[in-house]
Amino acid sequence: MSVRVGSTRRNFVTVTGAAAALALAGNLPDLDFAKAGATGGVDRRDPFTLGVASGDPLPDAVVIWTRLAPEPLAPFGGMDRRPVEVQWQLAEDEQFHRVVRHGTTQARPESSHSVHVDVQGLRPWRHYWYRFRVGNQVSPVGRTRTAPAYDQSVPVMSMAFASCQAWWEGWYTAYADMARREHDVVFFLGDYIYEFGIDRGVRPHSNEDYVTRQTVTLDEYRNRYASYKMDPDLQAAHASAPWVVTVDDHEVVDNWADEAHPSAPPAQFLVRRANAFRAYWEHMPLRLAQLPNGPDMQLYRRIRYGRLAEFSVLDTRQYRSDQAYGDGSKFPGPDVLDPTRTLTGDEQERWLLDGWTASQARWNVLAQQNALARLDVKDGPELLVPMDTWDGYAASRDRVLGGAHQRKIRNLVSIGGDLHRSVASDLKLDFANPDSPTVGSEFVGTSISSGLDGMDLDPGGLTLLRENPHIKYGNFQRGYVSCTITPRQWISDYRVVDRVTVPNGTVSTRAKLLVEDGRPGIRVVAGDPAPHRAPARYGAGSPATT
């Protein structure tokens, strides 16, 4: 279990008041946004090198984001340590002929000159376009969309989800494809950056200090985000649709658990966690409700899309018990079944189950970081499962899936990441019994770039298919998942890239998977689901990549 050091948390000094100013938007007089320029002594460097983004859509509001950084890899992004006035506009058309909201805010140095504007008073289920201006410099234009009204019947929505984007291990070709498909919303499920240092990579400049250095301080985390967000394909994906984001481990450090990590004593680790969370919030399109308070950050929340879908976004890092048996892949002994150990924490677990009880949505979606399904990663009769996934917290999983089953939750779908591979599974009430009731369906997406090119099926993927009959599809290439949701069906297109170690790879749909309303479980409608599924052969296995 994690060591509790509440007094350490209480000693953190918060800057909520200063940061709150970032999201307060005053009114501007009518003006010609594109032509209005500043006079005299204006910094003519482009401050919008990190692009624009929007996020957490509501029926009447959306957050729009940018960060001023004319020299993104320089200290403080090349900005002076003073507040800067930023003007913004949101319009009903891409040419900004019909501007419906506009205002000013301040980009402040204590938040790395980031801007989070919570634009309110919008119409539900409508596209908008937005942009920013500083002096005579105008940002790129972003496209966003509000959520439907809570009681609205939605005939169809499109969404995508992604995770794990190690910059040095490949180009973001998948994001270019995602941007072209113009989804209604994108969910990012963790590992936006990687904190550890490296000694080489496939991209130019992979040996630069800003890539090879491990991130520990606030400035180092800020620099790492800047280096990732300079990528044009990532910027295009952010500008194409609102994003809903949550963290996994590498936003802080590999496989951290609550206040525990072997790299440092708890009090010292919490300082690092506070640095990581601060930089994360500064670079994501998040509301003030997600502003960190030292090492604490409120990330679990719900996003509703009318009566069609309700997304419960989880945080499976801040409240979890320490990994059992020293982490890694192990036999699930008594500690795994201990009901006092938790992946979500008691409060978040109650929030999730209570929300499902009250839900009126056709599809109830668990947007989280990991595989909920069991992953036996060893060939033969011996059971070996990862301790960092839900497998290492079987009591937590049993309470969640058992709670969904008892409540007769309609159309439970889990989306996850982290594995650096695609895995689609039926969610069983008892994974040890293939005849156990199917409670829901799970789509785990592969990485955007982490793990290099990969292949259709590696030895670890073959083992997963042989040893886990509930797994219906597997693949070990890079990419993301694009989903079309209607009241009658959920279709997941697994979009894969042939190569990410070179620019401009080819993206294609490797498999098209279907879940029908009222029929939990996955059906493959296009693509080869498990080309090498066969009776288990016994011998050494290859663990799943995590």
Side-chain angles (χ1 to χ4, degrees), residues 15 23 72 119 122 155 264 266 290 328 336 341 348 350 373 376 384 414 448-449 452 467 514:
V15 290
V119 186
L122 304 179
Q290 280 68 58
V336 168
R341 297 183 69 256
Q348 185 177 193
R350 286 193 300 271
D376 182 359
L384 200 68
S414 170
I448 290 289
S449 56
L452 304 173
E467 297 298 317
L514 168 69

Side-chain angles (χ1 to χ4, degrees), residues 294-307:
D296 297 319
M297 189 176 189
Q298 177 62 49
L299 277 172
Y300 65 85
R301 59 205 190 278
R302 289 191 180 88
I303 305 292
R304 292 172 58 184
Y305 275 76
R307 293 185 177 273

Side-chain angles (χ1 to χ4, degrees), residues 211-508:
V211 177
T212 60
R213 177 190 301 174
Q214 184 176 189
T215 58
V216 177
T217 69
L218 176 57
D219 285 343
E220 287 166 346
Y221 280 108
R222 284 170 169 169
N223 193 264
R224 187 62 50 89
Y225 279 101
S227 68
Y228 278 52
K229 293 182 79 71
M230 290 166 61
D231 183 272
D233 291 329
L234 176 57
Q235 289 188 17
H238 270 297
S240 70
W243 281 39
V244 178
V245 300
T246 188
V247 302
D248 194 21
D249 54 339
H250 289 291
E251 285 87 355
V252 181
V253 63
D254 185 36
N255 284 14
W256 65 279
D258 192 8
E259 298 170 5
H261 193 266
S263 63
Q268 184 177 338
F269 170 68
L270 283 179
V271 175
R272 182 178 188 178
R273 198 174 103 179
N275 292 335
F277 279 3
R278 182 70 187 185
Y280 180 79
W281 185 85
E282 290 172 351
H283 289 87
M284 295 295 123
L286 290 167
R287 286 190 168 82
L288 280 177
Q290 280 68 58
L291 178 69
N293 181 3
D296 297 319
M297 189 176 189
Q298 177 62 49
L299 277 172
Y300 65 85
R301 59 205 190 278
R302 289 191 180 88
I303 305 292
R304 292 172 58 184
Y305 275 76
R307 293 185 177 273
L308 182 62
E310 181 174 279
F311 296 85
S312 298
V313 183
L314 294 194
D315 175 351
T316 59
R317 286 289 163 189
Q318 283 194 81
Y319 317 107
R320 69 160 65 194
S321 307
D322 204 357
Q323 290 88 348
Y325 304 114
D327 210 349
S329 292
K330 306 289 174 56
F331 176 79
D335 287 359
V336 168
L337 302 174
D338 183 350
T340 66
R341 297 183 69 256
T342 176
L343 189 68
T344 62
D346 295 340
E347 183 177 338
Q348 185 177 193
E349 184 180 290
R350 286 193 300 271
W351 168 87
L352 175 63
L353 295 175
D354 289 347
W356 280 348
T357 301
S359 174
Q360 300 296 313
R362 182 68 58 96
W363 299 91
N364 290 281
V365 189
L366 196 58
Q368 48 93 36
Q369 294 78 0
N370 248 302
L372 190 58
R374 190 175 77 176
L375 303 176
D376 182 359
V377 300
K378 183 175 177 60
D379 278 313
E382 182 183 355
L383 182 62
L384 200 68
V385 297
M387 293 293 102
D388 190 57
T389 73
W390 288 83
D391 272 324
Y393 304 81
S396 265
R397 178 171 62 196
D398 289 347
R399 288 192 297 269
V400 168
L401 292 181
H405 183 64
Q406 292 166 7
R407 290 163 173 78
K408 297 181 171 58
I409 299 304
R410 186 173 188 174
N411 297 335
L412 172 62
V413 175
S414 170
I415 59 174
D418 182 63
L419 300 182
H420 303 176
R421 65 173 70 248
S422 301
V423 180
S425 308
D426 292 348
L427 295 175
K428 310 295 287 185
L429 191 61
D430 179 4
F431 287 100
N433 178 10
D435 296 326
S436 174
T438 298
V439 178
S441 312
E442 177 166 70
F443 301 103
V444 173
T446 185
S447 59
I448 290 289
S449 56
S450 304
L452 304 173
D453 290 329
M455 62 191 73
D456 191 57
L457 272 174
D458 66 326
L462 293 173
T463 297
L464 287 173
L465 289 170
R466 282 192 293 264
E467 297 298 317
N468 302 276
H470 50 275
I471 295 180
K472 305 303 178 184
Y473 166 74
N475 174 269
F476 189 50
Q477 293 169 285
R478 310 283 76 84
Y480 72 101
V481 185
S482 177
C483 305
T484 302
I485 309 167
T486 74
R488 296 176 62 88
Q489 62 184 20
W490 176 304
I491 295 178
S492 289
D493 289 344
Y494 274 83
R495 302 284 289 169
V496 301
V497 186
D498 63 340
R499 296 183 68 190
V500 297
T501 52
V502 295
N504 304 315
T506 299
V507 186
S508 61

Side-chain angles (χ1 to χ4, degrees), residues 518-529:
R519 298 181 61 183
I522 292 171
R523 184 158 63 91
V524 180
V525 295
D528 193 356

Side-chain angles (χ1 to χ4, degrees), residues 26-37:
N27 292 326
L28 278 176
D30 292 336
L31 50 83
D32 187 333
F33 188 87
K35 295 180 180 179

